[in-house]
Amino acid sequence: QVQLVESGGGLVQAGGSLRLSCEASGNIDRINVMGWYRQVPGKQREFVAREMRGGGIEYRDSVKVRFSLSRDTAKNTAYLQMNDLKPEDTAVYSCNVQARLLDGWERTSWGQGTQVTVSL
């Protein structure tokens, strides 16, 4: 199994910055995709950013020039640096990992979510 521990959410004024982190642990052979999604109550969860095995990184258009995803592969940890935050970025951010376990099975796992609130 894969365990994900997230941190770094909080309350920030518009224009401010936050950095989220997500550490994966467990019976991981390799991580294929590691990224972030977000959800506002009453709306569907939406993709924010992800890094694929091999290093390719994708971003949601609305965050592309403001957010930056990075990984420490040795620590199985992903970071989402969020700059110039806007009130519309307010959401619960959840880490998502797609990994191959040591038993050969593929697993998709979600973190517990961390609240990001951006005030005017």
Side-chain angles (χ1 to χ4, degrees), residues 99-120:
R100 187 174 73 181
L101 305 184
L102 294 173
D103 61 10
W105 288 95
E106 302 282 339
R107 281 285 186 275
T108 296
S109 303
W110 292 91
Q112 79 280 5
T114 184
Q115 177 71 45
V116 171
T117 303
V118 184
S119 63
L120 289 170

Side-chain angles (χ1 to χ4, degrees), residues 8-29:
L11 172 64
V12 65
Q13 286 189 323
S17 299
L18 286 172
R19 189 175 84 151
L20 306 182
S21 65
C22 172
E23 181 179 4
S25 62
N27 299 328
I28 299 171
D29 178 29

Side-chain angles (χ1 to χ4, degrees), residues 43-94:
K43 294 188 176 182
Q44 282 193 327
R45 182 161 52 195
E46 62 184 27
F47 163 76
V48 177
R50 66 184 175 189
E51 181 176 338
M52 280 69 72
R53 180 175 170 81
I57 300 178
E58 298 176 343
Y59 294 95
R60 177 177 198 80
D61 284 347
S62 63
V63 309
K64 198 170 290 186
V65 296
R66 300 183 294 120
F67 291 11
S68 177
L69 177 66
S70 62
R71 279 182 59 188
D72 183 334
T73 54
K75 296 180 180 179
N76 281 341
T77 299
Y79 304 96
L80 185 67
Q81 178 67 42
M82 304 185 294
N83 299 325
D84 189 24
L85 282 160
K86 304 176 185 301
E88 52 264 39
D89 295 318
T90 295
V92 175
Y93 285 69
S94 297

